[in-house]
């Protein structure tokens, strides 16, 4: 039986500094580029979590060697081999690894958690088939029959369910004989900052990439090794900043980048619109972001298209339950295919605690209501678990089921949460 975590009830203001580990999104992209590079690469400050450990394990299963020295990791690529990959519930592993496996000499079989088998992956598998790769299966488990090379060329696909389909091909595109010309044919691509992040990193690895509104051209050529310095994970920082907003407290996060492609950076503008005081200040070589929440009862609701920043939805939904006016979060129909159906899950859990949350075709409408304690289910979803922790700060008696699922991207979350409240 999964244990329940009593979410700390702490409605009083507090002041704390929270050091956030490295970005999962940047870490796993750097892993893939290092595996496909022509020489060794170094990752500084890489996140260690379930998702990133699964990515490392997947690449090790295909012959990449890793050496760790403190917070520095060295990846040494070579001829990739066949192997068996466990992707857990990690979308980046499930969707990025098939394109890497195309260049293995041998079969790469990919499987994962039971819940992962419902996550969309066929789009990237079909795209690889169109690029000359032999793939068996359309969902987990599937097998990529690598031959060490692949033709590439023009690929048309519908990436409206996940930007990761595009990123997967961008990361490996230069290894294809003809490169890749990726053409998106469907509705809006969600989470475009993640594609921008991928393009920036691929270019930093010496690859020529051309971008258009719905097309990306990756030219063939070597992927160079180098040093990747990993930024803090800004999406993982958002629950701590939200804690300041709902309590009227103050939370500072060091090493906040001045410019970044991380979607989590959008939390600055969101919190300002909801009534918090937000400032980014430079201290020495780094920036520190500090958020101070408004007085009790003065947090405002928000109307927001979150199509590009869907991963922040659980945090913003938790904030919205504490606001004094209604909120409407839209553009996030694609969240139905994340670790769980996040729209259904948030609506169910907020309602179960006495809140008013209406599920829309592409989002949520949240109307302020007095909440009460109860069990907040996590659905094995790390961001659902942290949303429950935020609500528990001002709602006594909230118990979060399976808080340990936060180890997917942020191991030790419970300790960090307690340390934050203790200043």
């Amino acid at each position: 039986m999964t244990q329940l975590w009593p979410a700390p009830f702490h409605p009083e203001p507090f002041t704390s500094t929270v050091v956030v580990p490295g970005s999962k999104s940047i870490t796993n992209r750097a892993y893939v580029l290092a595996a496909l590079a022509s020489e060794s690469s170094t990752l500084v400050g890489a996140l260690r979590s379930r998702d990133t450990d699964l990515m490392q394990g997947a690449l090790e299963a295909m012959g990449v060697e890793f050496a760790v020295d403190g917070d520095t990791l060295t990846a040494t690529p070579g001829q990739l081999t066949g192997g068996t990959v466990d992707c857990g519930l990690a979308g980046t592993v499930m969707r990025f690894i098939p394109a890497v496996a195309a260049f293995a000499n041998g079969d790469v079989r990919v499987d994962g958690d039971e819940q992962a088998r419902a996550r969309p992956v066929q789009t990237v598998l079909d795209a690889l088939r169109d690029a000359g790769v032999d793939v068996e299966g359309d969902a987990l488990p599937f097998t990529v029959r690598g031959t060490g090379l692949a033709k590439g060329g023009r690929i048309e696909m519908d990436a409206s369910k996940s930007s990761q389909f595009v990123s997967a091909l961008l990361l490996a595109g230069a290894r294809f004989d003809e490169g890749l010309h990726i053409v998106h044919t469907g509705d809006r691509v969600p989470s475009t900052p993640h594609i921008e992040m991928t393009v920036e990193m691929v270019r930093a690895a010496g690859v020529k990439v051309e971008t258009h509104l719905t097309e990306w051209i990756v030219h063939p050529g070597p992927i160079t090794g180098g040093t990747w310095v990993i930024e803090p994970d800004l999406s993982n920082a958002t629950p701590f900043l939200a804690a300041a907003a709902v309590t009227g407290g103050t939370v500072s996060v060091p090493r906040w980048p001045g410019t970044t492609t991380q979607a989590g950076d959008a939390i600055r503008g969101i919190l300002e619109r909801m009534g918090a005081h937000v400032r980014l200040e430079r201290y020495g070589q780094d920036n520190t972001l500090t958020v101070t929440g408004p007085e009790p009862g003065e947090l405002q609701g928000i109307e927001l298209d979150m199509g590009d920043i869907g991963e922040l939805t659980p945090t913003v939904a938790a904030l919205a339950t504490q606001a004094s006016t209604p909120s409407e979060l839209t553009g996030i129909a694609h969240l139905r295919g994340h670790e769980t159906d996040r729209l259904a899950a948030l609506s169910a859990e907020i309602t179960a605690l006495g809140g008013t949350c209406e599920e829309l075709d592409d989002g949520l409408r949240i109307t302020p209501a007095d909440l009460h304690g109860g069990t907040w289910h996590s659905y094995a979803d790390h961001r659902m678990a942290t949303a429950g922790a935020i609500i528990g700060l001002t709602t006594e008696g909230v118990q979060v089921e399976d808080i340990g699922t936060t180890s997917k991207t942020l191991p030790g979350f419970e300790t960090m949460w307690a340390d934050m409240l203790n200043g």
Side-chain angles (χ1 to χ4, degrees):
M1 180 178 177
T2 304
Q3 290 188 333
L4 298 178
W5 177 68
F9 177 63
H10 196 298
E12 303 84 12
F14 62 90
T15 299
S16 185
T17 295
V18 178
V19 177
V20 178
S23 162
K24 178 205 76 172
S25 297
I26 297 176
T27 297
N28 274 357
R29 282 162 173 78
Y31 267 135
V32 171
L33 289 169
L36 295 171
S38 54
E39 62 261 331
S40 295
S41 298
T42 301
L43 283 68
V44 180
L47 175 68
R48 300 313 304 253
S49 70
R50 188 185 185 216
D51 273 18
T52 58
D53 287 348
L54 286 166
M55 181 65 83
Q56 180 179 332
L59 297 172
E60 284 178 327
M62 289 189 284
V64 181
E65 296 181 359
F66 294 92
V68 179
D69 182 9
D71 73 340
T72 299
L73 181 147
T74 300
T76 303
Q79 175 55 59
L80 298 174
T81 65
T84 299
V85 169
D86 175 15
C87 71
L89 195 52
T92 50
V93 182
M94 180 192 314
R95 293 162 183 155
F96 292 0
I97 284 297
V100 178
F103 302 99
N105 278 329
D107 292 355
V108 177
R109 186 177 188 275
V110 183
D111 201 358
D113 294 357
E114 183 177 350
Q115 281 182 275
R117 297 182 177 187
R119 299 194 70 179
V121 70
Q122 183 175 351
T123 299
V124 76
L125 301 182
D126 285 344
L128 289 172
R129 291 184 180 104
D130 290 343
V133 181
D134 184 3
V135 183
E136 179 183 316
D138 294 324
L140 290 171
F142 58 81
T143 299
V144 179
R145 304 197 181 283
T147 61
L149 50 83
K151 181 180 178 182
R154 180 184 171 95
I155 295 170
E156 293 188 0
M157 68 176 185
D158 181 354
S160 57
K161 289 186 177 180
S162 176
S163 66
Q164 290 176 353
F165 299 149
V166 177
S167 287
L169 299 175
L170 288 171
L171 288 166
R175 289 288 300 268
F176 287 82
D177 293 345
E178 298 178 5
L180 287 179
H181 180 179
I182 306 158
V183 181
H184 167 61
T185 59
D187 296 332
R188 173 183 179 181
V189 180
S191 305
T192 54
H194 285 93
I195 296 177
E196 294 166 7
M197 173 189 292
T198 306
V199 168
E200 184 178 280
M201 292 183 68
V202 171
R203 284 174 173 163
V207 177
K208 182 180 178 181
V209 183
E210 299 176 47
T211 64
H212 308 279
L213 284 177
T214 57
E215 296 185 36
W216 301 265
I217 300 172
V218 186
H219 291 253
I223 297 171
T224 60
T227 298
W228 300 100
V229 179
I230 311 299
E231 298 174 359
D233 194 308
L234 307 188
S235 293
N236 278 343
T238 65
F240 302 96
L241 299 173
V246 301
T247 62
T250 297
V251 169
S252 297
V253 178
R255 293 189 61 234
W256 196 280
T259 57
T260 182
T261 52
Q262 289 193 62
D265 191 47
I267 195 66
R268 294 193 286 152
I270 294 170
L271 290 174
E272 280 189 325
R273 288 179 58 186
M274 297 185 78
H277 179 59
V278 180
R279 62 187 186 276
L280 185 63
E281 298 176 311
R282 189 160 187 83
Y283 294 98
Q285 299 298 312
D286 294 314
N287 297 315
T288 294
L289 180 71
T290 300
V291 171
T292 300
E295 295 293 323
E298 293 185 7
L299 192 68
Q300 300 296 305
I302 191 169
E303 292 188 7
L304 188 63
D305 181 337
M306 301 191 70
D308 282 341
I309 53 173
E311 66 199 65
L312 305 188
T313 300
T315 293
V316 178
L319 283 164
T321 68
Q322 310 298 299
S324 58
T325 57
S327 297
E328 191 165 300
L329 314 178
T330 56
I332 44 178
H334 63 284
L335 294 189
R336 301 187 191 282
H338 275 229
E339 282 82 346
T340 186
D341 179 340
R342 282 182 176 162
L343 301 186
L346 285 164
S347 182
E349 297 311 303
I350 290 170
T351 301
L353 297 187
T356 302
C357 183
E358 179 185 354
E359 194 175 338
L360 310 174
D361 287 343
D362 72 336
L364 300 170
R365 183 181 295 118
I366 299 170
T367 304
D370 291 333
L371 303 184
H372 56 70
T375 299
W376 177 275
H377 298 93
S378 71
Y379 304 81
D381 185 334
H382 55 133
R383 303 207 191 281
M384 282 297 298
T386 57
I390 296 166
I391 291 174
L393 288 171
T394 54
T395 304
E396 192 166 11
V398 173
Q399 297 192 88
V400 179
E401 173 229 17
D402 190 19
I403 192 66
T405 195
T406 53
S407 65
K408 184 177 190 294
T409 60
L410 190 57
F413 168 79
E414 312 96 298
T415 301
M416 292 176 66
W417 199 252
D419 290 346
M420 171 189 70
L421 297 175
N422 292 329

